[in-house]
Amino acid sequence: MGGVHYGCKSCPRVPSGLTGRRTGGMGAQSNDWSDLMNLSPPRGTRDFFPEDMRLRSWLFDHFREVARLHGFEEYDAPVLESESLYTRKAGEEIVDQLYCFEDKGNRRVALRPEMTPSLARMILQKGRSLPLPVRWFSIPQCWRYERMTRGRKREHYQWNMDIFGVPGVTAEAELMSAVTTFFRRLGLTSADVALRVSSRKVIEEVMNSLGVPPEKFGPACVVVDKLEKRPREFIEAELAKLDLGTELVDALLDAVSLRSIDDLAARLGEDNPAVVELRELFDLAEGYGYADWLVFDASVVRGLAYYTGVVFEAFDRGATLRAVCGGGRYDRLLSTFGGDDVPACGFGFGDVVIVELLKDKGLLPSLPSGIDDVVFAFSSSQRAAASRVAGSLRAAGRAVELVLEKRKVKWLFKRADRLGAEHVYLVAPDEWANGTVRRKTLSTGEEENVSIETLGLSG
Ligand code: HAM
């Protein structure tokens, strides 16, 4: 989209008043750049100028609408949480990346890196009074001290949809329906994006067969997630830290290389729970009509310790970008917080990679400013009349910019054009005396006098 720089690193924005010249207006009072404070936000965080904000709102509107269409209710939680909510000792990157500090009351706090622990906390807080199933969504701002790459920032917004209280893969299927519905609304197809799906039960099976104790499952999965990204020696060293032997590596490498459910069934048996639920999930996907988006891929493990069953991630088929979204089942998270477990699954979908993908595919929309009309008084004696005109139009629901300062007509039309307004209303003495104002339609150049009684009624 021309002019929109959402997340664009190569476009430093220097407000025109801050070009290093003495401007006389607001802003720099110095000739020397070095005298200016650093005008960039902290590395990895983002300013949202109005054009960026328009794109963000457009994206969030789609998030909200898809959640609404799927019968989910919105919730929220504080961006600042107790650090202990996140300090799981499973070797996850997300814990190393925590923005944490001590507050003025000597409490250890953290900016949330993800929403799932806050959601679990809220579910536990309500306890048995909460009717199940819970189908909730949120669009939280999340903070991670990440190594920055294309699509990864230190601050991002993450659409979350989660279901509590449904033990079977019908829940996963419903969540994937939301993800694929969202992609479709934005103009993406199954040729652009794939949802790569597996189940942690595949890895659990391998570990059980080699006698790995259940409490090592989560931390071991975090290591297995790196299997295809890091050298074997690294994986072996990490597993050794968990007192797990090198024989696991071969078995795991073998398991994560599987690329079809039939191969998985041949390895584990048709009755294996992983095979049964994956087959059911793919059948459900046929019913929903999004099976062409799904790819079984045993190498999808996910880097968070709490997942217990089906896991999935969306990737661009060209594989040039990081994961667009990711999620899975986490049936045992609540007990790690001291509560009773409730079956749960969900996903997080960031606002950064999707914009990169839409940019690559030429699918970013061109979004207008949202201003419908510009109202202009010819002279100061028409100011009261102009504000009345603006008031009538606003009462009729039109978005109106009332020109508040003394300006020339030439400036007015340039301004209205830049805003993409539909009409300009000129409030002039003769017309006003006749109970009318002059209206120009910018797209056609057509001009007419309209009665002040009918303002806003005719668009
Ligand atoms: P996650 O895979 O860590 O999962 O993040 C989910 C998505 O958030 C990613 O696929 C990506 O779109 C976005 N994301 C994550 N980190 C960044 C970053 N630094 N910059 C930009 N985007 C980012 C979770 O967070 C789980 N809590 C999701 C979940 C919800 N699982 C169950 N319910």
Side-chain angles (χ1 to χ4, degrees):
M1 184 171 81
V4 168
H5 306 256
Y6 198 84
C8 174
K9 256 177 36 189
S10 56
C11 301
R13 288 202 202 72
V14 180
S16 55
L18 297 178
T19 51
R21 285 178 286 120
R22 192 179 284 277
T23 63
M26 60 167 285
Q29 295 299 313
S30 164
N31 290 331
D32 186 354
W33 267 107
S34 61
D35 287 353
L36 290 175
M37 65 178 283
N38 182 1
L39 299 177
S40 305
R43 191 169 152 71
T45 67
R46 297 176 289 169
D47 290 325
F48 288 88
F49 287 84
E51 64 269 29
D52 306 317
M53 203 59 208
R54 286 207 285 276
L55 187 59
R56 183 172 118 185
S57 300
W58 170 83
L59 201 64
F60 286 17
D61 286 350
H62 280 290
F63 287 154
R64 285 207 166 84
E65 182 57 9
V66 171
R68 190 190 69 79
L69 292 173
H70 285 78
F72 280 61
E73 292 181 286
E74 190 162 4
Y75 70 99
D76 202 1
V79 72
L80 192 71
E81 287 274 16
S82 293
E83 187 186 28
S84 59
L85 203 58
Y86 308 109
T87 43
R88 306 179 291 250
K89 292 187 180 57
E92 298 154 295
E93 265 184 350
I94 201 169
V95 178
D96 296 335
Q97 295 167 342
L98 213 54
Y99 275 91
C100 48
F101 57 97
E102 201 162 276
D103 73 6
K104 291 183 175 154
N106 303 114
R107 281 173 289 263
R108 295 290 309 168
V109 287
L111 297 178
R112 67 175 163 225
E114 57 162 338
M115 195 59 161
T116 314
S118 300
L119 174 60
R121 182 177 62 65
M122 289 168 71
I123 298 281
L124 283 172
Q125 198 189 106
K126 288 276 179 197
R128 287 184 205 285
S129 69
L130 196 62
L132 295 176
V134 159
R135 301 163 68 108
W136 289 357
F137 84 96
S138 188
I139 313 176
Q141 189 192 41
C142 298
W143 293 81
R144 300 182 188 184
Y145 197 82
E146 284 247 20
R147 199 173 62 80
M148 297 224 292
T149 53
R150 189 173 177 219
R152 286 290 179 273
K153 301 260 165 206
R154 294 192 172 153
E155 168 238 322
H156 73 283
Y157 288 88
Q158 198 192 82
W159 176 38
N160 278 244
M161 285 181 69
D162 289 85
I163 300 176
F164 276 75
V166 178
V169 291
T170 49
E172 280 89 331
E174 181 80 339
L175 293 169
M176 290 178 189
S177 163
V179 170
T180 50
T181 301
F182 176 82
F183 284 135
R184 284 194 176 117
R185 287 173 71 95
L186 268 51
L188 291 160
T189 68
S190 59
D192 301 316
V193 180
L195 266 186
R196 290 165 52 195
V197 185
S198 185
S199 171
R200 279 212 177 162
K201 287 182 182 162
V202 175
I203 294 162
E204 197 171 24
E205 187 74 26
V206 173
M207 292 191 188
N208 285 345
S209 69
L210 292 172
V212 175
E215 68 275 12
K216 302 251 166 97
F217 175 66
C221 283
V222 173
V223 179
V224 181
D225 181 55
K226 301 183 183 123
L227 214 50
E228 295 197 324
K229 302 163 210 152
R230 305 295 290 265
R232 186 188 171 102
E233 303 77 62
F234 172 86
I235 302 296
E236 285 182 0
E238 291 294 298
L239 288 176
K241 285 185 203 161
L242 297 169
D243 291 326
L244 299 175
T246 51
E247 75 281 7
L248 240 187
V249 181
D250 286 321
L252 289 170
L253 270 173
D254 187 42
V256 301
S257 67
L258 298 171
R259 291 292 179 274
S260 80
I261 302 181
D262 286 342
D263 287 348
L264 186 69
R267 191 72 51 94
L268 303 179
E270 203 56 67
D271 298 337
N272 182 275
V275 176
V276 171
E277 67 182 19
L278 285 165
R279 286 218 191 277
E280 188 188 344
L281 181 60
F282 277 70
D283 283 349
L284 287 165
E286 288 284 350
Y288 275 99
Y290 62 75
D292 50 329
W293 295 75
L294 259 51
V295 176
F296 170 76
D297 181 343
S299 72
V300 174
V301 178
R302 310 261 305 132
L304 298 164
Y306 50 65
Y307 293 113
T308 52
V310 168
V311 276
F312 59 94
E313 281 180 333
F315 279 93
D316 62 301
R317 296 243 187 204
T320 57
L321 297 167
R322 301 279 301 265
V324 190
C325 77
R329 176 162 289 279
Y330 50 101
D331 286 348
R332 299 193 286 267
L333 181 60
L334 297 191
S335 58
T336 65
F337 293 145
D340 292 336
D341 278 324
V342 175
C345 64
F347 68 80
F349 191 127
D351 69 332
V352 184
V353 184
I354 185 66
V355 170
E356 294 297 323
L357 182 59
L358 293 175
K359 231 187 255 175
D360 285 358
K361 300 282 172 195
L363 290 171
L364 278 180
S366 169
L367 300 168
S369 71
I371 306 285
D372 297 317
D373 305 319
V374 179
V375 176
F376 180 75
F378 259 110
S379 68
S380 52
S381 54
Q382 268 83 55
R383 284 221 172 280
S387 55
R388 199 176 132 193
V389 169
S392 301
L393 291 167
R394 286 169 181 161
R398 309 276 301 170
V400 177
E401 180 172 301
L402 173 63
V403 178
L404 301 171
E405 68 276 52
K406 200 163 181 287
R407 290 286 188 176
K408 296 214 158 56
V409 174
K410 199 171 154 203
W411 175 90
L412 164 71
F413 282 105
K414 239 166 126 181
R415 171 92 179 168
D417 211 41
R418 199 178 64 73
L419 291 171
E422 189 183 353
H423 297 135
V424 166
Y425 285 88
L426 297 136
V427 185
D430 290 351
E431 283 81 0
W432 190 253
N434 290 329
T436 63
V437 288
R438 190 110 188 115
R439 179 172 76 185
K440 182 163 179 173
T441 303
L442 292 178
S443 57
T444 59
E446 192 186 322
E447 285 189 37
E448 59 185 321
N449 286 348
V450 290
S451 156
I452 56 173
E453 302 303 329
T454 58
L455 277 179
L457 299 182
S458 56

